[in-house]
Amino acid sequence: MSVHSALEELAKYRVQNRRASQEVFEKGTSVLQKNGHSKMGDEVWDFLEQLALAAIDVGRLDVADQCLRRLSDKFPQSPRVDCLAGIRLEASEPPETALKYYSELLEADPTNVAVWKRRISVLRRMGQTEEAISELSQYLDTFYTDIEGWLELADIYARCNQYDYSLQALSHTLLLAPQNPVYVLQSAETAYTAGDLPLSLKMFLMVVDMTDGDETEFLAESTPLGITVRAWYGVKLCARRMSENPRVVTASASDASPPKHLGLLDELATERLRVAYSSAGQKGDIAQGRGIVFSWVASP
């Protein structure tokens, strides 16, 4: 591959925020060996940062150090370069060493978001969950609009089986990005696991409404795809469990009200799943499991 083609591919990875460490490393080192980076102008610094991360991922710390030296010489007091140096440190030193390094950086600059996040990541890797939660909560008090931070907090709580707290963290995500159906779906599934079936059902239906678009007016003609299918699964599960055991309705911590016609909603979810899995191959591999799905949705 020519230098020009390699640089184009690497730039595309950066735009797409795609890691692709092995590919980046191979193309990046080829550019370095051919001295192709010398004609990149200011874009060379993004390239060196990208290559350094890829080199760390694949275990070529010598290449990472080479990139870091050039970045440090150009930006001697850059918080971004400091964070990259910390990631390099994590790859070869005990986590306590990296933790100390990040703590020193935060003492000098408490607003360094990237370093703060790396410190939380190290705490999680060390198994210090309570400290990670405390640190992340403090971080979110300062940088409330960081959606990734709220998702991280929700994930920590979920891994500790504290689904109610996980759902609370996700509620902040929905406030910040109410139009993102992926976050609504995650909240619906977390509410289901927490046992709040009325709230879960409501959120699953929100996902259907958000992802079907105008096709909801022609439901009989539309074919559910992507996360819409997953949402219909959720609707079916909630409706079935609530029909089998009405007491779970009163267990809603959110006091969400169940639908009046639960049986009809169950039938609709069944029909939508049948449509999704009745589609021929042109709709994708989803049709391959139609036999299993049909048996499940038909069972009482």
Side-chain angles (χ1 to χ4, degrees), residues 9-41:
E9 286 294 316
L10 292 171
K12 186 183 300 183
Y13 289 158
R14 291 197 296 273
V15 171
Q16 297 172 348
N17 197 26
R18 182 181 171 191
R19 194 86 168 202
S21 299
Q22 188 62 46
E23 293 88 344
V24 169
F25 177 76
E26 292 174 357
K27 293 180 174 64
T29 51
S30 174
V31 171
L32 278 182
Q33 292 169 359
K34 297 176 182 178
N35 202 33
H37 62 289
S38 61
K39 300 179 181 180
M40 293 181 64

Side-chain angles (χ1 to χ4, degrees), residues 65 75 176 192 199 218-219:
D65 290 339
F75 309 102
L176 295 168
Y192 182 88
L199 177 62
F218 309 98
L219 204 55

Side-chain angles (χ1 to χ4, degrees), residues 142-187:
T142 307
F143 302 100
Y144 175 80
T145 58
D146 191 330
I147 293 178
E148 290 184 356
W150 288 111
L151 292 174
E152 177 84 1
L153 184 60
D155 181 67
I156 295 176
Y157 280 130
R159 290 178 183 273
C160 295
N161 297 326
Q162 298 183 18
Y163 297 104
D164 289 331
Y165 288 119
S166 180
L167 191 58
Q168 290 177 20
L170 288 172
S171 68
H172 293 279
T173 302
L174 296 181
L175 286 174
L176 295 168
Q179 302 303 319
N180 191 319
V182 175
Y183 300 154
V184 181
L185 180 64
Q186 184 175 349
S187 299

Side-chain angles (χ1 to χ4, degrees), residues 23-297:
E23 293 88 344
V24 169
F25 177 76
E26 292 174 357
K27 293 180 174 64
T29 51
S30 174
V31 171
L32 278 182
Q33 292 169 359
K34 297 176 182 178
N35 202 33
H37 62 289
S38 61
K39 300 179 181 180
M40 293 181 64
D42 289 339
E43 193 176 355
V44 68
W45 311 118
D46 291 332
F47 161 75
L48 290 173
E49 181 183 32
Q50 180 185 28
L51 179 56
L53 286 170
I56 293 171
D57 286 344
V58 301
R60 287 295 304 274
L61 302 183
D62 55 326
V63 177
D65 290 339
Q66 181 182 351
C67 296
L68 267 170
R69 281 194 297 269
R70 297 188 183 187
L71 289 166
S72 298
D73 291 341
K74 178 64 177 179
F75 309 102
Q77 294 182 332
S78 168
R80 190 162 175 167
V81 176
D82 287 341
C83 183
L84 186 59
I87 297 174
R88 162 63 180 86
L89 196 65
E90 291 180 47
S92 60
E93 300 296 330
E96 292 82 5
T97 303
L99 197 63
K100 180 180 178 182
Y101 172 76
Y102 290 137
S103 297
E104 292 172 351
L105 290 177
L106 285 174
E107 287 180 8
D109 181 13
T111 64
N112 193 326
V113 171
V115 167
W116 209 340
K117 285 187 173 183
R118 292 308 310 177
R119 174 177 164 78
I120 294 168
S121 175
V122 172
L123 287 171
R124 287 196 69 179
R125 192 164 69 249
M126 294 173 65
Q128 299 183 19
T129 305
E130 292 185 4
E131 290 188 29
I133 291 175
S134 176
E135 192 85 12
L136 185 52
S137 298
Q138 183 181 352
Y139 167 81
L140 290 169
D141 283 341
T142 307
F143 302 100
Y144 175 80
T145 58
D146 191 330
I147 293 178
E148 290 184 356
W150 288 111
L151 292 174
E152 177 84 1
L153 184 60
D155 181 67
I156 295 176
Y157 280 130
R159 290 178 183 273
C160 295
N161 297 326
Q162 298 183 18
Y163 297 104
D164 289 331
Y165 288 119
S166 180
L167 191 58
Q168 290 177 20
L170 288 172
S171 68
H172 293 279
T173 302
L174 296 181
L175 286 174
L176 295 168
Q179 302 303 319
N180 191 319
V182 175
Y183 300 154
V184 181
L185 180 64
Q186 184 175 349
S187 299
E189 293 175 342
T190 303
Y192 182 88
T193 309
D196 195 336
L197 297 187
L199 177 62
S200 178
L201 177 58
K202 180 179 179 180
M203 287 187 163
F204 278 128
L205 290 172
M206 287 174 60
V207 176
V208 171
D209 183 57
M210 294 169 73
T211 55
D212 263 357
D214 295 335
E215 289 185 353
T216 54
E217 298 178 7
F218 309 98
L219 204 55
E221 301 177 5
S222 65
T223 300
L225 297 170
I227 66 172
T228 311
V229 178
R230 187 158 172 162
W232 278 120
Y233 265 121
V235 172
K236 177 69 178 179
L237 284 168
C238 289
R240 176 176 292 184
R241 282 192 60 191
M242 292 167 70
S243 297
E244 293 173 347
N245 185 9
R247 287 181 299 178
V248 300
V249 177
T250 60
S252 173
S254 62
D255 294 327
S257 301
K260 295 181 179 180
H261 305 288
L262 198 59
L264 294 177
L265 193 56
D266 189 352
E267 292 179 9
L268 177 59
T270 300
E271 187 272 337
R272 292 286 80 206
L273 290 172
R274 285 182 179 274
V275 169
Y277 283 89
S278 294
S279 304
Q282 66 267 22
K283 291 298 183 182
D285 296 336
I286 193 173
Q288 293 182 1
R290 64 168 64 92
I292 298 174
V293 173
F294 285 181
S295 297
W296 178 75
V297 298

